[in-house]
Amino acid sequence: MNDPERPTLRYVAGRPMQCKDIPDEALVNAVRRTPQPYPVTPHFVSLRMSWDVQAALEEITGPLPYKLFLAKIRKLFHKGLLCGCDCGCRGDYHLSLECLNSTHGCGYRL
């Protein structure tokens, strides 16, 4: 992720940009707008890849540091709005409403 074109820090009103500067709804909508790479089946929730979700979000916010993007993803996981892998190892996300087992959450979330 050491891309010279990708910012490592952004400033908002003279201070470093924080998660609170990215609206929750903007990131949830970015996940919603991101195409699903595989068809949804009764046994498989299609996951959106992190680079696709980040690109969709950056259409609204402008370039974001990857660490800030991951921090915002984690906050939405804790709020129960997104599921998938929030540590960045797999980098796949889906909406909580798409979970196959809505009473217990998806199998990806620990």
Side-chain angles (χ1 to χ4, degrees), residues 7-8 19 54 64-74:
T8 56
C19 288
Q54 186 172 2
L64 291 173
Y66 185 65
K67 288 184 179 182
L68 179 62
F69 171 73
L70 279 182
K72 185 63 178 186
I73 287 285
R74 287 184 188 111

Side-chain angles (χ1 to χ4, degrees), residues 12-89:
V12 173
R15 63 169 172 73
M17 189 176 196
Q18 300 173 359
C19 288
K20 66 183 177 183
D21 298 319
I22 304 169
D24 292 352
E25 193 60 30
L27 186 47
V28 170
N29 284 336
V31 172
R32 193 174 284 123
R33 285 192 328 268
T34 301
Q36 298 174 339
Y38 305 104
V40 177
T41 68
H43 304 289
F44 180 73
V45 175
S46 187
L47 306 169
R48 284 78 161 196
M49 298 292 103
S50 63
W51 53 84
D52 295 330
V53 173
Q54 186 172 2
L57 179 62
E58 288 178 343
E59 290 174 6
I60 298 167
T61 64
L64 291 173
Y66 185 65
K67 288 184 179 182
L68 179 62
F69 171 73
L70 279 182
K72 185 63 178 186
I73 287 285
R74 287 184 188 111
K75 290 198 177 285
L76 295 185
F77 271 66
H78 290 291
K79 289 181 178 182
L81 298 174
L82 295 179
C83 294
C85 174
D86 66 345
C87 74
C89 68

